[in-house]
Amino acid sequence: MWKNIILIALVIGVSSCGSKKTTMKSSNESKEVVIGKSEVLSYKSLGNGVASISIQLYENDTFRFNFKSIPQPGTDEKPVKISEKGTYTSDGSWKTLNFKNPKFSLAAIFDPQYASASDFKVIDEEHVKINTSKKAITIWGVVCEKQ
């Protein structure tokens, strides 16, 4: 009987150590994107009462996306804050942003209902293409000007 208890404790101990390693590995993967030092292009929202939004593209094919909603007066809403970084690829004036496991829905933020079809295209849950030839793009109904 003691052998069974020791064996069960040993199995539980070993299996829990293995799962911690897996958790650490995936956590480190999301932090691996090192943002470049030199910004090559950015879009920033104009003054509005809806949200503050920015996308910065860097020389090493990385980007940073920041979003902060502005709660409406007279409500108990808390601002929604999103800060993500990732990598991008280029295809002419289109840049495909690769969000690694985003904590939000790209389709909800990059909603084509509130933008021109030539502003961006949501490809899937982790990729969106933006048209960098445009002087302004609309994200979440907010106009963001090229800087």
Side-chain angles (χ1 to χ4, degrees), residues 120-136:
F120 56 79
K121 294 175 183 152
V122 176
I123 299 168
D124 58 32
E125 294 175 355
E126 293 187 341
H127 299 88
V128 64
K129 287 174 80 168
I130 62 170
N131 185 352
T132 59
S133 70
K134 309 263 301 187
K135 291 182 181 178

Side-chain angles (χ1 to χ4, degrees), residues 39-48 51-58 63-67 88 92-97 110 118-120 129-139 142-147:
E39 189 177 287
V40 293
L41 175 72
S42 70
Y43 283 93
K44 294 187 180 169
S45 59
L46 301 173
N48 65 82
S52 174
I53 302 170
S54 67
I55 299 174
Q56 292 102 7
L57 303 178
Y58 296 90
F63 73 90
R64 180 179 307 276
F65 174 76
N66 288 308
F67 175 96
Y88 70 89
S93 62
W94 288 88
K95 308 292 185 227
T96 302
L97 307 180
F110 293 91
S118 62
D119 285 353
F120 56 79
K129 287 174 80 168
I130 62 170
N131 185 352
T132 59
S133 70
K134 309 263 301 187
K135 291 182 181 178
I137 58 176
T138 304
I139 301 170
V142 175
V143 176
C144 300
E145 281 190 340
K146 187 187 283 189
Q147 304 295 299

Side-chain angles (χ1 to χ4, degrees), residues 64-127:
R64 180 179 307 276
F65 174 76
N66 288 308
F67 175 96
K68 182 180 177 187
S69 68
I70 300 170
Q72 298 306 302
T75 67
D76 293 335
E77 296 175 354
K78 302 271 188 230
V80 174
K81 297 177 185 178
I82 299 169
S83 183
E84 297 276 340
K85 56 186 179 178
T87 58
Y88 70 89
T89 57
S90 300
D91 183 14
S93 62
W94 288 88
K95 308 292 185 227
T96 302
L97 307 180
N98 178 13
F99 290 82
K100 286 268 189 189
N101 303 314
K103 297 174 181 91
F104 65 98
S105 167
L106 288 178
I109 301 293
F110 293 91
D111 188 343
Q113 177 180 348
Y114 301 108
S116 163
S118 62
D119 285 353
F120 56 79
K121 294 175 183 152
V122 176
I123 299 168
D124 58 32
E125 294 175 355
E126 293 187 341
H127 299 88

